[in-house]
Amino acid sequence: MPQALEGSQAIAQAVALCRPEVVAAYPITPQTHIVENIAKLVADGKLNCEMVSVESEFSAASVVLGAVAAGSRAYTASASQGILLMAEVLYNIAGLRIPAVMTCANRAVAAPLSIWNDQQDSMAVRDAGWIQLYCADNQEAVDTTIQAFRIAERCELPVMVCMDGFTLTHTLEPLEVPSQEQVDGFLPPFSFARTLDPRSPISVGTLVDPNYYSEARHSHHHALLRAQEEIIAAADDWGQLSGRHYGGLLQVDGPEDARLGILTLGSVLGTLADAREEYPEAPAAKLIKLRSFRPFPVEALQQACAGLSDLIVLERALSPGGGGIVGAEVRAALSELPDAPRVHNFAVGLGGRDVPLDIYPRLLAAAQSSGPTRFAIFDAELDRLPEGDR
Amino acid sequence: MIEVRIHGRGGQGNVVAAYLLATTAIGEGEYAQAFPSFGAERRGAPVTAFVRVAPEPFRRRCQVLHPAFLIIQDEALLQVPGVTDGLLPGGGILVNSKRGDDELSAMLGRDTAALPASALAAEFLGRPVPNTALLAAFLTLTQMLPVASLTKALGHRFKGELLERNARLIEQVAQRVSPGLWKEQADAASA
């Protein structure tokens, strides 16, 4: 029986079902409700977990690093400036192969200051060496949070579960919260092979000289590539248990013979799916949800795009002076195909800009009427800018 | 799909009103979604929240651009430009006001119903929080869900004395507005 829950409330319950032993977090909009709800579960005696209040996100991530190194399952959540303040520790967590899980309640990064949703924050730390999974709706975020602990612990890699701030975190809708038995059957107790133990001391985080550094980086890169199998296995096994499956690395939805495709990350997918029904006169596009951005699923993406003449890559972030972040990677992956589709790369919904239903026909028209767009912010109204800035 | 936009001010329980309406619908087996559009997060700042209700699941995450109904928790917000923008033709506006329906309808040029929700809440709950009373009036006017289901949904939030006071407030409000006055519009929107 689904319950009426706010996204953040449901995520807190999902985290609690995973039986974390340590949660450390510093509040930042729009992540706040997640950790507030976890703190309440701890305070009410419903979750046996050490809730550590810290003075900054740097410390939140550091506490999680130490807790997992000492053998505890640990979790944190953040967003925007909080993610950036954590950045140094995020690299350390990943490089030390610490299987932590965090939620990124995706939000724009200042300046200009914005509390609203885009994905600039998680994209800014895409090279930290974390697995990054992007969720299209709250049910997927609940289920992915549970999968994330198993993926992290099996791969000895940290996992960042990305969910759009406000658009998902602050939306109430009917959600299924799994049972404790279901989660226990899926996620065994955490047992960390490299647990710090005073009876058998080891050093962690030592200086690595040029003799070994390249090999350490190679092994980390390969661990992420290999993690694709665990991401798929977690999605399949959880799908068996719960009846809910969101694709492993990505999910394709739409007519098989479609010539047009739209690739997205996060919650914009649902709007496009509804829009496809609302605008039957527009061509029915294949919708590709990129669920795993790190590792980047090159082969799965090539398969998903086979037969397309045009692919629109929509993203909620950009690399100023470069262009699209996801778009550039998709182009590189598809360049290996003999009949690669033309790639049109647009950013939409930056800093909370609404992505309305009618963006669907407008995007398709733009892709059909002109040559490929290398990159543009699709919904920027250029006439509001001084002429020199257009 | 019935889409509703709720206007109020920070501290008035605006988001709670949206969540409560969606929770009520979900409790009755409908599919629903409620979400806020935050501006500055402080008391007194205008806040907008949205609700969608439909018999079948939907997936969109965009803002509600053309609501069938507006619920205005603070009538001073009617002076703010844009508050009634996008309201569907034939749509209704429910306002927390001591003024009459006709006066407000004439002023706004739209079908408007008034309820002195703050005064009623102060009398029944001891606090002038207008959201529960307005939702009771809204459900009575539209008949989109039984008014009793609102009391049931409140049971997830409140217990004991406070729940009883809310239940009495809901009963009182249901007798003050015309049952089914906006049923036609609600049925048209959900068709």
Side-chain angles (χ1 to χ4, degrees):
Chain A
M1 176 74 188
Q3 304 173 45
L5 289 173
E6 186 201 30
S8 296
Q9 229 179 343
I11 295 303
Q13 293 191 23
V15 170
L17 287 167
C18 295
R19 303 184 187 275
E21 293 157 288
V22 176
V23 173
Y26 190 80
I28 181 169
T29 298
Q31 151 266 34
T32 323
H33 291 183
I34 298 174
V35 286
E36 275 177 1
N37 277 295
I38 295 174
K40 189 169 187 311
L41 290 170
V42 174
D44 291 348
K46 291 176 181 159
L47 174 62
N48 182 18
C49 164
E50 192 165 343
M51 182 84 205
V52 188
S53 290
V54 287
E55 87 297 346
S56 75
E57 286 87 354
F58 187 97
S59 294
S62 299
V63 166
V64 164
L65 191 166
V68 179
S72 299
R73 184 171 285 157
Y75 169 86
T76 189
S78 193
S80 184
Q81 318 303 128
I83 296 275
L84 295 193
L85 190 53
M86 277 183 180
E88 180 185 341
V89 189
L90 296 181
Y91 272 76
N92 272 312
I93 290 172
L96 295 173
R97 306 283 305 273
I98 295 290
V101 171
M102 75 174 292
T103 303
C104 175
N106 283 111
R107 163 181 157 180
V109 172
L113 180 59
S114 165
I115 61 165
W116 293 277
N117 164 239
D118 66 32
Q119 295 169 347
Q120 194 69 47
D121 48 3
S122 52
M123 284 295 161
V125 293
R126 70 187 183 276
D127 299 333
W130 284 56
I131 291 170
Q132 283 194 348
L133 304 176
Y134 287 78
C135 302
D137 60 43
N138 276 322
Q139 189 67 59
E140 181 176 355
V142 164
D143 292 329
T144 301
T145 300
I146 295 160
Q147 294 171 27
F149 281 99
R150 198 183 87 167
I151 297 163
E153 291 166 15
R154 285 199 182 178
C155 301
E156 294 195 353
L157 282 169
V159 180
M160 183 181 290
V161 179
C162 302
M163 62 189 294
D164 285 326
F166 291 114
T167 317
L168 295 183
T169 56
H170 286 56
T171 293
L172 176 138
E173 56 193 329
L175 293 170
E176 296 278 356
V177 177
S179 70
Q180 188 65 63
E181 293 69 36
Q182 273 180 317
V183 177
D184 286 348
F186 175 79
L187 180 68
F190 180 40
S191 161
F192 189 34
R194 289 178 284 124
T195 298
L196 291 176
D197 181 352
R199 287 164 300 185
S200 150
I202 56 167
S203 292
V204 172
T206 55
L207 188 70
V208 171
D209 71 22
N211 236 346
Y212 290 104
Y213 190 84
S214 298
E215 287 70 27
R217 296 296 278 164
H218 175 89
S219 122
H220 186 177
H221 173 54
H222 260 253
L224 268 148
L225 293 179
R226 276 202 315 274
Q228 294 185 64
E229 292 162 26
E230 287 298 345
I231 295 169
I232 294 168
D236 290 348
D237 292 350
W238 183 251
Q240 288 276 325
L241 268 168
S242 69
R244 296 185 296 272
H245 199 287
Y246 309 93
L249 304 167
L250 51 76
Q251 192 172 42
V252 184
D253 163 53
E256 269 187 30
D257 57 351
R259 299 287 286 156
L260 294 167
I262 307 179
L263 180 141
T264 64
L265 298 85
S267 67
V268 94
L269 178 82
T271 302
L272 296 177
D274 269 10
R276 197 170 50 188
E277 309 285 317
E278 296 272 338
Y279 294 93
E281 67 282 5
K286 207 182 251 190
L287 298 178
I288 302 170
K289 177 185 72 179
L290 188 62
R291 185 164 180 258
S292 170
F293 181 63
R294 285 291 180 272
F296 192 76
V298 174
E299 286 83 12
L301 189 63
Q302 288 174 345
Q303 278 171 24
C305 293
L308 292 179
S309 66
D310 290 85
L311 175 68
I312 298 165
V313 177
L314 280 191
E315 51 189 304
R316 279 187 132 136
L318 69 148
S319 173
I325 299 165
V326 184
E329 299 199 18
V330 169
R331 268 202 193 93
L334 299 185
S335 69
E336 298 168 5
L337 289 180
D339 298 311
R342 304 192 304 167
V343 175
H344 313 261
N345 188 192
F346 298 114
V348 292
L350 300 180
R353 176 73 53 94
D354 187 37
V355 182
L357 287 167
D358 74 359
I359 205 160
Y360 177 80
R362 289 193 283 127
L363 280 168
L364 293 178
Q368 286 169 305
S369 68
S370 62
T373 304
R374 190 175 294 158
F375 174 74
I377 301 177
F378 189 75
D379 46 7
E381 295 172 15
L382 300 187
D383 53 359
R384 291 161 70 188
L385 290 169
E387 220 157 286
D389 289 356
R390 289 177 196 172
Chain B
M1 178 184 296
I2 298 181
E3 296 183 301
V4 183
R5 192 170 69 215
I6 305 176
H7 292 270
R9 295 185 182 278
Q12 272 190 322
N14 216 45
V15 182
V16 171
Y19 282 5
L20 194 53
L21 180 52
T23 302
T24 304
I26 293 165
E28 292 299 297
E30 301 279 305
Y31 195 86
Q33 188 188 63
F35 53 100
S37 165
F38 277 113
E41 292 174 88
R42 56 183 159 79
R43 281 186 180 262
V47 176
T48 312
F50 306 93
V51 183
R52 291 189 169 104
V53 179
E56 296 298 325
F58 52 85
R59 299 174 66 187
R60 66 199 60 184
R61 300 276 167 191
C62 42
Q63 293 207 351
V64 171
L65 299 178
H66 299 290
F69 300 102
L70 301 177
I71 299 175
I72 314 286
Q73 300 218 78
D74 177 345
E75 74 178 306
L77 289 171
L78 291 172
Q79 309 304 324
V80 176
V83 165
T84 58
D85 281 5
L87 181 64
L88 285 178
I93 308 174
L94 174 62
V95 186
N96 174 15
S97 171
K98 288 182 171 170
R99 291 197 269 178
D101 294 0
D102 295 342
E103 185 191 345
L104 284 169
S105 296
M107 185 182 101
L108 296 170
R110 308 297 301 252
D111 195 358
T112 306
L115 181 81
S118 294
L120 287 167
E123 183 189 336
F124 281 81
L125 308 177
R127 282 180 65 206
V129 184
N131 53 14
T132 308
L134 286 167
L135 290 181
F138 181 70
L139 295 185
T140 308
L141 288 163
T142 59
Q143 310 261 289
M144 61 184 269
L145 299 162
V147 179
S149 60
L150 176 62
T151 314
K152 205 164 83 185
L154 276 172
H156 297 299
R157 270 175 195 272
F158 302 129
K159 285 190 181 73
E161 164 88 19
L162 189 54
L163 182 59
E164 278 168 34
R165 286 179 181 209
N166 272 283
R168 284 200 293 275
L169 170 63
I170 290 167
E171 276 170 35
Q172 170 67 25
V173 169
Q175 288 164 16
R176 287 181 75 123
V177 293
S178 313
L181 186 66
W182 289 349
K183 186 171 188 317
E184 211 173 294
Q185 291 99 306
D187 289 348
S190 67

